Amino acid sequence: MELTEIFGSNVFNDKVMKQRLPKEVYKALKKTIEQGTPLRPDVADVVANAMKDWAIEKGATHYTHWFQPLTGITAEKHDSFISPAPDGSIIMEFSGKQLVQGEPDASSFPSGGLRVTFEARGYTAWDCTSPAFLKEDESGNVTLTIPTAFYSYRGEALDKKTPLLRSMKALSKQALRVLKALGNTTSTQVTATVGPEQEYFLVDKKFYMERLDLLLAGRTIFGAPAPKGQELEDQYFGAIKDRVSDYMHDLDIELWKMGITSKTKHNEVAPAQYEMAPIFDTTNIATDHNQLVMETMQKVAFRNDLVCLLHEKPYAGINGSGKHNNWSLSTNDGANLLEPGSTPSENVQFLLFLSAMIKAVDTHADILRATCATAGNDHRLGANEAPPAIISIFMGEELTEILEKISKGEKISSKDEQFVSVGVDTLPIIPRDNTDRNRTSPFAFTGNKFEFRMVGSAQSIAGSNVTLNTIAAEALEAIAARLEKAKDKNAEAAAIIKDTYKKHHRVIFNGNNYSDEWVKEADKRGLPNVGNTVDALKAFTTEKAYKLFEKYDVLSRKELHSRFDIYVEHYAKQINIEALVAIDMTRKQFLPSVLEYATFLADSIDDLESVEVPAAAPRDMLKKLSAALTSAYKNLAKLETAVKKAQQIDDTVKKAESYRDNVFTVMQALRADVDSLEMMIPRDMWPVPTYSDLLFKL
Ligand code: ADP
Ligand code: MG
């Protein structure tokens, strides 16, 4: 098949809808998709039937309402199309009702207190703005997959999609107000566009299977560094090995079939680390697609005798993985609102939207940070790795200078052709793509979009985008309110840009975000710097957060609190698993091997001395081994005690704090001991694959 035929071949997209739906039905559905008008039951019936026929022709036997519970991964329950006929045979059926709403047994998904047992039901509702598609497994089983939102009996969001859709609505409304106040009467919708770059590691399946920590915790809890790391910088953008290239090809095909625009692939900085970037799409489609990307990456790897590691920090000592969430705003008539324009009025508009984001990010840095808080991401944010836990915006020198001058009421001199006095005489023409791509910034303006680089590689991007959309809506509303009242719009726009910069410029930082000076400087500027998940998540339960999300009907107080509870609990569970794995591996694998080697050394000493050969070397080796062994043994006992203590704590936050302060720290100490033992023991006596195996034998 040609690539053009493969792409989207498993998607019930616009082209298929046009072909298969009666004109009236197509029109009605389009209206629902584009304007959110309610879908009539008779229309739903026709759509469902067409979807079913299409899916069956492509080999489907089942359909599923696919949703995104608060676990961060996706969920699906498959129902076949079969329905009994009176004569004992079956017919294939799929009604509008089945398409539009489902009722999975939801009692085993986390609800954070939103659902009590007597109303354990959860409902799924079709999100027709994200197209239905076919999921195909290796042996050819095909399932019609319907993207849905998941909510409780009382309508509370139990998932990540519902607030995302709500935030999109809020953002569109406020952005349109600003556009309208500026005289734009043609745009009827504004959507956030998102392009998430996905980093990942690959490891040979046979090594992976021999490491309990990788298998159960997704990261190596132990492991002495390999003699070589990433210091030669020979991996980044390096030639892709055949085996990996085959994998990437298979991955592309699977993604393309589902209409996912996998565009760019390359080697990343660390050994065995890679990246895939799609072409951007609307927030909710990008989010759905990113979930599929993660799932498909893992599935396809397995078929190729590889394992795809999505964890933020699979290996100590080399780079971890993140997700660069590229975010911008686009009108339904195709204008990118964060693109500097070629006319003065376009630039007024650009600078206003830019100002909105400066205000939004400065005001709610704590919430943005919280959206990236997971046990895995703690190994990146604020832990000597990109990016730091301090949120700042990289704006580029030129743009910063322009804002600076506007804020001081200075005229921007026409240094060259580009800088001519225009309209409001303080607003210059903004040079295009003037940014020099500061790679260390957590929130970088890159010419016509922002790149939020804190999101963890294993995370859903929903949470971060819900927050970006909502804080943008809030900032835009304030701008709209001022503009609507003003007589001289241009003068008011200039005043808004000036005021915003004056008040919020502390969040702009163009320097090296990894430096110690920045940590000090950020502290002086009063920017929050929260280095761990439990503390970061507290930003979800402040009055400021409640007010923000309630005002735009994105998340109620209760819904926010439920998320806080679930995420804090998840953190504790994650560390608990890691600790139990650490205990298991130490007791059952490392200690026995070390003892075996100790015995071997002791025997050697005896043997050598019995023939009167000096045994100073093995004696010294044994001494050192024994010292590390004693320390490991002590720390193992400490870890067991710490885990027991943490397990007994009832209060969710206190429990998580205990895992963070006691369990995790002892686990680190145990790791240091075990890693030093690994360095002392012959390779063939070490019971698990080493970093050299995992990172270089691919
Ligand atoms: P890089 O940042 O690696 O140099 P690009 O800037 O070309 O690469 O694109 C990175 C990602 O940003 C891609 O996923 C791309 O689709 C996305 N992107 C580009 N433009 C936009 C936009 N207007 N809105 C959202 N994402 C965008
Ligand atoms: Mg990028």
Side-chain angles (χ1 to χ4, degrees):
M1 249 203 306
E2 296 273 333
L3 180 56
T4 47
E5 281 173 58
I6 293 173
F7 188 83
S9 57
N10 281 348
V11 187
F12 195 75
N13 55 23
D14 195 59
K15 193 172 148 200
V16 181
M17 289 195 267
K18 232 185 226 152
Q19 272 166 7
R20 293 185 171 249
L21 297 174
K23 233 192 194 134
E24 284 312 306
V25 173
Y26 172 78
K27 264 207 215 132
L29 179 59
K30 274 301 256 195
K31 208 168 158 204
T32 302
I33 294 173
E34 279 162 11
Q35 295 166 31
T37 48
L39 193 68
R40 292 202 321 263
D42 57 318
V43 172
D45 272 331
V46 180
V47 176
N49 202 47
M51 241 184 221
K52 177 203 70 184
D53 289 344
W54 169 80
I56 289 175
E57 279 167 37
K58 294 196 161 265
T61 50
H62 289 68
Y63 71 92
T64 183
H65 273 203
W66 181 66
F67 57 103
Q68 302 174 24
L70 295 170
T71 52
I73 53 175
T74 60
E76 50 192 76
K77 181 184 86 177
H78 298 192
D79 280 301
S80 73
F81 293 118
I82 64 167
S83 174
D87 65 356
S89 64
I90 52 153
I91 48 170
M92 301 294 258
E93 236 178 27
F94 186 50
S95 67
K97 227 172 120 198
Q98 286 167 313
L99 166 65
V100 171
Q101 204 190 52
E103 195 191 312
D105 176 7
S107 50
S108 294
F109 291 107
S111 84
L114 285 181
R115 214 184 32 217
V116 274
T117 8
F118 66 87
E119 50 183 45
R121 264 178 295 183
Y123 298 87
T124 50
W126 181 30
D127 166 22
C128 62
T129 60
S130 180
F133 59 97
L134 302 175
K135 263 202 201 181
E136 230 184 279
D137 69 13
E138 198 183 7
S139 35
N141 300 310
V142 181
T143 306
L144 171 62
T145 307
I146 298 149
T148 59
F150 179 47
Y151 55 93
S152 76
Y153 180 69
R154 291 173 204 270
E156 282 142 345
L158 296 173
D159 70 346
K160 302 208 171 219
K161 186 186 270 267
T162 307
L164 190 63
L165 295 173
R166 293 174 184 161
S167 73
M168 289 170 72
K169 210 166 139 189
L171 174 60
S172 183
K173 186 171 160 195
Q174 302 308 333
L176 283 175
R177 271 179 69 188
V178 173
L179 289 180
K180 200 166 160 216
L182 291 173
N184 171 333
T185 49
T186 52
S187 304
T188 55
Q189 201 178 23
V190 172
T191 21
T193 48
V194 172
E197 302 166 48
Q198 176 74 47
E199 293 181 335
Y200 61 99
F201 280 85
L202 290 176
V203 60
D204 194 302
K205 197 201 268 177
K206 69 173 182 286
F207 295 134
Y208 170 89
M209 288 299 175
E210 287 169 26
R211 296 238 10 168
L212 197 66
D213 48 3
L214 279 181
L215 189 68
L216 299 185
R219 73 176 181 99
T220 53
I221 295 172
F222 301 100
K228 178 184 168 187
Q230 62 192 44
E231 66 275 37
L232 291 182
E233 296 171 339
D234 51 356
Q235 162 81 357
Y236 190 57
F237 283 9
I240 301 171
K241 285 183 189 165
D242 283 356
R243 185 173 183 198
V244 175
S245 171
D246 287 348
Y247 162 75
M248 287 177 168
H249 174 77
D250 292 354
L251 175 66
D252 276 341
I253 299 286
E254 292 309 317
L255 295 177
W256 288 336
K257 279 197 230 165
M258 292 187 288
I260 297 166
T261 50
S262 173
K263 171 87 175 157
T264 311
K265 50 188 180 186
H266 60 80
N267 286 359
E268 256 303 327
V269 171
Q273 191 188 27
Y274 309 93
E275 181 184 294
M276 190 286 289
I279 296 171
F280 66 92
D281 212 320
T282 61
T283 328
N284 75 319
I285 294 182
T287 303
D288 284 0
H289 281 180
N290 185 251
Q291 294 297 127
L292 288 171
V293 164
M294 291 194 283
E295 183 184 312
T296 313
M297 279 182 166
Q298 290 174 304
K299 261 193 188 171
V300 173
F302 224 66
R303 291 179 201 168
N304 287 266
D305 287 322
L306 294 164
V307 172
C308 169
L309 304 175
L310 292 172
H311 194 282
E312 284 77 11
K313 193 76 175 175
Y315 306 103
I318 55 172
N319 275 19
S321 300
K323 221 160 330 213
H324 289 177
N325 190 84
N326 293 275
W327 184 95
S328 191
L329 292 169
S330 171
T331 65
N332 60 321
D333 30 16
N336 178 350
L337 297 172
L338 289 174
E339 171 99 42
S342 50
T343 66
S345 66
E346 275 171 11
N347 276 334
V348 173
Q349 182 182 301
F350 163 72
L351 287 171
L352 280 174
F353 279 90
L354 195 74
S355 297
M357 290 320 290
I358 295 172
K359 176 179 176 181
V361 172
D362 185 38
T363 311
H364 298 298
D366 58 334
I367 304 178
L368 269 179
R369 165 70 183 91
T371 66
C372 302
T374 66
N377 223 10
D378 273 7
H379 296 273
R380 292 172 71 228
L381 307 180
N384 293 324
E385 169 149 356
I390 307 160
I391 293 199
S392 64
I393 302 178
F394 169 79
M395 197 55 85
E397 298 298 339
E398 242 171 326
L399 208 46
T400 308
E401 198 185 308
I402 288 168
L403 291 168
E404 186 84 29
K405 289 201 165 154
I406 294 172
S407 80
K408 289 185 184 140
E410 286 173 23
K411 280 201 179 167
I412 290 135
S413 59
S414 36
K415 270 187 264 175
D416 52 20
E417 293 281 312
Q418 283 178 320
F419 286 78
V420 285
S421 245
V422 288
V424 185
D425 63 1
T426 50
L427 295 185
I429 282 188
I430 314 292
R432 248 165 225 264
D433 209 357
N434 55 349
T435 53
D436 63 1
R437 306 245 162 171
N438 179 327
R439 308 304 301 188
T440 68
S441 175
F443 203 90
F445 182 69
T446 53
N448 61 3
K449 63 186 189 296
F450 281 103
E451 190 168 331
F452 184 39
R453 302 188 178 127
M454 268 190 176
V455 187
S457 49
Q459 277 192 282
S460 159
I461 59 168
S464 294
N465 287 301
V466 166
T467 298
L468 281 173
N469 294 349
T470 312
I471 65 178
E474 185 190 54
L476 289 168
E477 173 164 33
I479 291 176
R482 280 183 68 171
L483 285 176
E484 282 161 2
K485 268 188 265 156
K487 278 203 193 80
D488 183 343
K489 308 284 183 204
N490 270 341
E492 185 65 10
I496 291 169
I497 296 162
K498 189 170 163 175
D499 295 348
T500 309
Y501 186 80
K502 272 193 169 159
K503 198 156 168 217
H504 298 286
H505 72 270
R506 64 171 190 169
V507 78
I508 296 173
F509 179 62
N510 295 323
N512 178 6
N513 282 260
Y514 301 167
S515 67
D516 293 334
E517 293 83 69
W518 170 232
V519 176
K520 280 181 218 139
E521 165 72 17
D523 187 49
K524 254 194 244 153
R525 294 190 191 182
L527 301 177
N529 180 6
V530 185
N532 71 83
T533 291
V534 188
D535 287 339
L537 286 172
K538 291 174 185 163
F540 283 139
T541 54
T542 62
E543 277 309 312
K544 178 168 79 79
Y546 290 143
K547 245 171 92 180
L548 168 75
F549 288 108
E550 277 185 331
K551 178 159 188 208
Y552 296 96
D553 289 326
V554 173
L555 287 164
S556 69
R557 199 169 269 255
K558 233 171 124 187
E559 287 170 329
L560 265 173
H561 205 88
S562 73
R563 275 148 185 82
F564 171 74
D565 268 354
I566 290 169
Y567 299 154
V568 172
E569 209 179 295
H570 194 268
Y571 171 87
K573 285 178 182 167
Q574 190 63 40
I575 307 292
N576 185 56
I577 293 170
E578 291 187 357
L580 295 183
V581 168
I583 292 168
D584 191 285
M585 289 177 83
T586 306
R587 248 190 212 298
K588 296 184 185 163
Q589 296 188 288
F590 302 134
L591 295 186
S593 299
V594 174
L595 283 174
E596 201 182 321
Y597 184 50
T599 313
F600 170 81
L601 285 175
D603 289 349
S604 307
I605 296 166
D606 278 352
D607 291 352
L608 289 172
E609 285 180 343
S610 72
V611 292
E612 282 162 35
V613 171
R619 198 175 281 281
D620 187 53
M621 285 159 80
L622 182 56
K623 244 192 211 158
K624 285 185 176 137
L625 189 74
S626 168
L629 175 64
T630 307
S631 178
Y633 193 67
K634 272 190 198 152
N635 278 323
L636 175 65
K638 267 196 200 163
L639 183 57
E640 285 173 323
T641 311
V643 171
K644 266 198 205 112
K645 226 169 124 186
Q647 282 173 342
Q648 278 157 10
I649 300 173
D650 280 333
D651 180 86
T652 316
V653 175
K654 290 212 176 89
K655 189 186 193 104
E657 284 169 349
S658 180
Y659 275 103
R660 177 194 67 195
D661 300 334
N662 306 319
V663 178
F664 187 77
T665 40
V666 187
M667 205 160 67
Q668 295 287 84
L670 176 61
R671 176 185 189 139
D673 295 333
V674 171
D675 289 359
S676 77
L677 286 167
E678 183 185 340
M679 299 294 278
M680 296 180 213
I681 287 188
R683 172 66 195 92
D684 58 2
M685 289 182 92
W686 194 244
V688 297
T690 64
Y691 266 32
S692 294
D693 300 329
L694 299 166
L695 290 167
F696 294 99
K697 293 188 188 170
L698 192 68

